[in-house]
Amino acid sequence: MNTEAISQPLKAAVDQGIVCGAAYAIIGADVHEEHYLGWCDDSREHPVVSHLDYDLASLTKVVATATRIFQLLGERTIELEDPVGSFFETSFPDVTVADLLLHDSGLPADLTDVWQYESAADVWQAVKDSQLVYPTGSAARYSDLNFIILGKIIEKATGNPLAVEIHKHVLKPLGMHDSGYCLGNEPFRDRNWFVPTEMTQKRGQVWGSAHDETAWQLQGCAGHAGLFASLSDLENFAQMYLNDGRFHDQEIIPKQIAVRLPELDHFERTLAWIRWTPNRKNLWHTGFTGPGLGIDLDRRRALIILTNAVYPKRGNEAWQAARRAAAAAFFGGKYREKQA
């Protein structure tokens, strides 16, 4: 594996000031590299170091929510064919758990103007009242609503709050001690534990709390966003996938799901994940704040990228290009490019 080719666009992004700093890891059978580059913000007072927690944004979907959903599927507590209507009353009762995971539910990408709602209950009601914008199963269009609903299904199926379920069944058994929801509320964590994200008109400098507006309106904990994690914690998560769903001899994801997951190629996706290439067992996902997570199960290696690309403001297309270049070097080809 050419780790320098993977590193080059990430290092260049920091050197050129596209992002203030970044942390990334490349792991595999014959390599384990960790890199900490640059600074947490433009004050240049706090260098990027190993213990920092990053807002994972949509990596929450695959790290937290999908992992717990896969566990519940393995236990037969829920089934892929279960309709949403069997859990709660909604305007789309026939959409299934599989549709939500595959992003082919037909639901819109997000709520319109989430700031209009006065409470988390109002936000959740608005999600349940959402109307389909295309026929279920006819296409795949990425939607935060899909995973907000999956987070609520976890709560309904277990009787516990989402944060409790994720901590007990995902983070704790994976040794992800620096990870969780609403970490900024913990008294022993000051701002130096986190990298800042966006400077906003509504909330000022977002730092140590969920950047995603809908997750914030859901009190910082949701199925689609809100999770924080450190680089080393995500290495544990990736190692679990590379070990067929096991971590330190404990099954985290049932092997039948972990091993067969990438075999499903549905509108360029599999359950919860993006397929980087259509004919290989590889998984990819990104987050709005800048992170990326790639797992190549054919070659048994992983790439974890963390940064705060929405600092001081969103719309950092240059970082998106750098992240995709690193992923292309890692996977060995351009996105969706068939390979022998």
Side-chain angles (χ1 to χ4, degrees):
M1 174 168 42
N2 186 349
T3 59
E4 183 54 37
I6 299 168
S7 297
Q8 192 279 326
L10 303 177
K11 292 178 178 177
V14 175
D15 291 342
Q16 295 167 17
I18 292 170
V19 290
C20 290
Y24 68 97
I26 307 167
I27 59 177
D30 57 350
V31 61
H32 190 149
E33 295 185 9
E34 292 182 357
H35 300 267
Y36 301 94
L37 310 175
W39 307 87
C40 292
D41 57 32
D42 55 15
S43 72
R44 301 178 71 88
E45 294 178 359
H46 304 292
V48 172
V49 292
S50 61
H51 74 266
L52 286 171
D53 275 316
Y54 288 80
D55 185 328
L56 297 188
S58 283
L59 286 194
T60 301
K61 294 178 172 71
V62 292
V63 175
T65 309
T67 304
R68 187 65 185 123
I69 287 287
F70 294 158
Q71 292 171 345
L72 294 173
L73 288 169
E75 298 166 7
R76 308 299 294 272
T77 302
I78 62 174
E79 303 284 352
L80 284 173
E81 298 78 18
D82 285 347
V84 172
S86 67
F87 298 100
F88 0 79
E89 185 176 342
T90 72
S91 65
F92 41 89
D94 297 329
V95 168
T96 66
V97 170
D99 294 325
L100 299 172
L101 287 165
L102 291 167
H103 289 287
D104 67 4
S105 66
L107 286 163
D110 204 347
L111 297 174
T112 302
D113 186 18
V114 72
W115 297 117
Q116 67 184 293
Y117 305 110
E118 296 183 359
S119 68
D122 291 341
V123 175
W124 174 226
Q125 188 60 52
V127 172
K128 292 189 289 183
D129 290 342
S130 297
Q131 301 297 310
L132 300 185
V133 294
Y134 64 91
T136 301
S138 64
R141 299 179 188 174
Y142 187 78
S143 170
D144 283 346
L145 302 192
N146 292 328
F147 273 76
I148 293 173
I149 297 162
L150 286 168
K152 293 295 186 180
I153 287 175
I154 291 171
E155 294 185 335
K156 187 73 172 181
T158 65
N160 294 318
L162 179 63
V164 172
E165 283 293 302
I166 297 306
H167 175 78
K168 180 178 180 181
H169 297 283
V170 180
L171 305 180
K172 186 175 180 180
L174 281 171
M176 296 177 67
H177 303 303
D178 292 326
S179 303
Y181 288 103
C182 302
L183 296 184
N185 295 339
E186 296 180 350
F188 67 91
R189 295 183 195 264
D190 61 20
R191 279 188 166 190
N192 292 333
W193 281 85
F194 306 94
V195 292
T197 52
E198 190 174 9
M199 175 63 76
T200 68
Q201 281 190 328
K202 195 81 174 180
R203 298 167 57 195
Q205 176 66 71
V206 180
W207 198 334
S209 58
H211 171 266
D212 181 90
E213 293 92 345
T214 307
W216 170 254
Q217 288 287 77
L218 289 166
Q219 299 180 331
C221 179
H224 73 295
L227 194 73
F228 285 79
S230 65
L231 183 65
S232 60
D233 279 6
L234 288 180
E235 289 178 50
N236 289 358
F237 177 81
Q239 288 284 8
M240 176 269 293
Y241 262 90
L242 298 179
N243 197 34
D244 297 335
R246 302 186 70 84
F247 185 75
H248 291 171
D249 295 324
Q250 181 179 354
E251 182 180 84
I252 307 299
I253 295 177
K255 184 176 181 179
Q256 67 269 27
I257 295 175
V259 173
R260 295 193 61 202
L261 180 63
E263 295 176 3
L264 177 61
D265 193 3
H266 181 77
F267 297 117
E268 303 184 357
R269 290 189 171 275
T270 186
L271 299 176
W273 294 84
I274 300 166
R275 293 286 306 278
W276 183 268
T277 46
N279 59 330
R280 279 180 37 195
K281 292 183 178 180
N282 50 37
L283 306 170
W284 173 247
H285 212 287
T286 62
F288 189 80
T289 51
L293 177 58
I295 300 174
D296 186 334
L297 292 173
D298 287 324
R299 299 173 182 175
R300 296 287 165 173
R301 61 195 192 189
L303 170 66
I304 303 127
I305 305 169
L306 293 173
T307 191
N308 52 339
V310 295
Y311 173 86
K313 62 182 181 178
R314 64 185 66 191
N316 194 337
E317 295 182 3
W319 169 253
Q320 294 172 26
R323 181 177 59 187
R324 180 160 287 204
F330 169 74
F331 285 118
K334 295 179 180 179
Y335 178 62
R336 301 303 295 170
E337 178 182 65
K338 290 188 177 182
Q339 298 174 15

